[in-house]
Amino acid sequence: MINHQIKVAFDEYSSLQELDITDRELCLQAVKAMENSHSPYSKFSVGAALKLQSGKIILGSNQENVAYPSGLCAERVALFHWGANHPDDLIESMAVTAHTNEFKLLKPVTSCGSCLQVMAEYEKKQGKPIRVLLYCIDGPVWVINGIENLLPFLFFEDRLA
């Protein structure tokens, strides 16, 4: 038997004010992205902001549908927009935040498994890790370098290429 251990690493900042101006602005852009969230069923708004190598910012928000599987998370809205429109302008970082009036969020919300797998795909495609900032409004910010720290068992099979 072999015992394997996986460790993930991230930095936690107690508030937005601890971040440098670039990261702080990206988190605020994710908040802005939530304005276009269509979340009448869950009442859980999510916003994502991608910062590209050129400095361009791409926004995405969750888009729900009464036929639940037809909706899409904020992260994938932003990432698919990038893939369709800016694939040569590499993603440097991504901020994600959420809000609901139903209860107070006390820590950052992590991305779902489907979003993490899409992030991993685009990270592989661009050959460069994506820095992810998970921002809890009026709370901590988690900064993660590379998707493997969020999804240590990400799916890749190079023979499928």
Side-chain angles (χ1 to χ4, degrees):
M1 178 189 84
I2 299 173
N3 177 275
H4 297 271
Q5 292 184 24
I6 294 176
K7 295 181 181 182
V8 297
F10 66 96
D11 296 321
E12 181 172 339
Y13 296 85
S14 63
S15 73
L16 199 59
Q17 286 65 44
E18 288 187 32
L19 300 176
D20 68 32
I21 188 71
T22 303
D23 287 345
R24 193 166 39 235
E25 180 56 34
L26 189 61
C27 288
L28 293 175
Q29 287 293 317
V31 172
K32 179 181 176 187
M34 284 193 311
E35 294 174 10
N36 292 324
S37 169
H38 179 68
S39 47
Y41 309 105
S42 70
K43 297 176 180 44
F44 195 81
S45 301
V46 181
L50 306 179
K51 181 180 177 288
L52 307 184
Q53 196 168 39
S54 67
K56 182 173 181 60
I57 304 292
I58 293 175
L59 303 181
S61 59
N62 58 323
Q63 301 296 312
E64 294 180 352
N65 190 286
V66 68
Y68 291 109
S70 299
L72 200 59
C73 301
E75 297 93 327
R76 283 182 284 159
V77 169
L79 289 163
F80 291 155
H81 177 86
W82 171 80
N85 296 285
H86 307 281
D88 297 324
D89 193 357
L90 304 185
I91 302 168
E92 289 191 348
S93 52
M94 175 180 197
V96 180
T97 194
H99 175 76
T100 181
N101 289 326
E102 305 299 306
F103 52 89
K104 181 171 176 53
L105 296 173
L106 302 175
K107 63 182 182 178
V109 174
T110 57
S111 302
C112 75
S114 293
C115 287
L116 292 174
Q117 187 62 47
V118 170
M119 288 180 207
E121 181 76 20
Y122 284 142
E123 199 175 73
K124 183 177 181 183
K125 178 182 177 182
Q126 73 178 19
K128 177 184 170 198
I130 297 171
R131 190 165 169 269
V132 179
L133 295 92
L134 300 176
Y135 169 45
C136 178
I137 298 170
D138 298 325
V141 182
W142 295 346
V143 179
I144 301 100
N145 290 305
I147 304 311
E148 277 191 33
N149 282 303
L150 285 164
L151 185 64
F153 284 106
L154 55 91
F155 174 76
F156 275 119
E157 176 50 70
D158 291 328
R159 294 171 294 177
L160 291 174

